[in-house]
Amino acid sequence: MIDFYSQALTYLESVQPSAPAWLEQIKEDGLAQKVPIIRDDMGVFIRMICALRQPETILEIGCGISYATHWMLLGSPRSRVVAIDSNQQRVEQCKTYLEESGYIDRVELRNCWAEDFFKDNHQYFDLIFQDSTKKGYAGMIDQCYQCLKPGGILVVDNVFFNGKVFGLTPDQEKKYSNGVVSVRAFNEKMAKHPGFECSFLPLSDGILVAQRIR
């Protein structure tokens, strides 16, 4: 049986304008290389957020091969993005794709771990998009809060961890238990954080949208 959400996605694909061919190529390359990329419904969502907010500055934590970066710039092409990733090869791929799409001048690529970036960062951002190693989510809350402008938005993907936060099978316990603990801790800490107004959305693999309110 096809569930309602799957039916909705199929229907929306038939009525929404298709993504540019070059963006589809980035997606195909990511799937072929087994590089984690956001789902298309997440792409549409983050593009809408950027279109509505028109953030001057964006921090992307875990840019992969730039699939999400391009979705955000489609919504707000005048934004300036600092995109970081610990994988040097993927950062090089990002550069190539951004040159091909014409967005290279809008993006500052950094090959580094998020923790190292935050140590030396002196910038403040209107929007942060986080889609990195799940075990690091909980430990980055304070850093994200500190570098967000008041009123700024934090968007976090995969807060359901592919459904694993709902429970693990015995075969998954050894490999994923630490990641599940971290994501659950992140969700619970964010929900109670006095500086954020949070909404958890059952879209894609679970999305958190949080606004810095103080």
Side-chain angles (χ1 to χ4, degrees), residues 18-19 25 73 75 81 87 94 96 102 105 133 173 177 191 193 204 209:
S18 58
Q25 186 60 58
L73 287 168
V81 182
N87 188 308
C94 281
T96 298
D105 292 339
T133 305
E173 282 286 347
S177 59
H193 198 291
S204 186
V209 182

Side-chain angles (χ1 to χ4, degrees), residues 15-167:
V15 297
Q16 289 183 147
S18 58
W22 50 262
L23 186 60
E24 290 291 342
Q25 186 60 58
I26 297 173
K27 174 185 174 181
E28 290 178 14
D29 292 348
L31 293 174
Q33 298 168 27
K34 296 184 179 180
V35 176
I37 58 174
I38 61 171
R39 302 180 188 184
D40 286 351
D41 50 350
M42 180 65 199
V44 172
F45 179 81
I46 195 66
R47 180 182 65 183
M48 180 191 70
I49 291 291
C50 288
L52 292 172
R53 299 283 302 190
Q54 292 295 305
E56 181 179 342
T57 54
I58 298 172
L59 171 63
E60 182 180 10
I61 305 173
C63 60
I65 60 171
S66 79
Y67 191 54
T69 318
H70 279 94
W71 274 110
M72 291 188 284
L73 287 168
L74 282 174
S76 182
R78 295 186 179 181
S79 295
R80 300 203 64 84
V81 182
V82 176
I84 67 175
D85 201 285
S86 61
N87 188 308
Q88 184 174 359
Q89 183 179 355
R90 291 177 187 172
V91 171
E92 290 299 321
Q93 284 184 277
C94 281
K95 183 178 179 181
T96 298
Y97 290 130
L98 288 162
E99 288 173 341
E100 292 174 352
S101 66
Y103 283 119
I104 188 64
D105 292 339
R106 310 305 303 174
V107 181
E108 177 185 345
L109 292 168
R110 301 271 195 97
N111 175 214
C112 64
W113 291 95
E115 294 84 353
D116 295 329
F117 171 81
F118 285 123
K119 287 178 183 176
D120 299 324
N121 175 59
H122 300 290
Q123 301 181 64
Y124 295 91
F125 299 92
D126 300 294
L127 185 145
I128 298 175
F129 178 56
Q130 184 173 345
D131 185 21
S132 56
T133 305
K134 305 304 170 280
K135 65 181 181 180
Y137 272 21
M140 283 190 276
I141 292 176
D142 291 338
Q143 291 96 326
C144 287
Y145 175 80
Q146 291 297 330
C147 69
L148 260 182
K149 297 177 183 178
I153 300 293
L154 171 64
V155 179
V156 183
D157 196 13
N158 303 124
V159 296
F160 294 162
F161 199 14
N162 290 317
K164 296 179 181 67
V165 295
F166 310 137

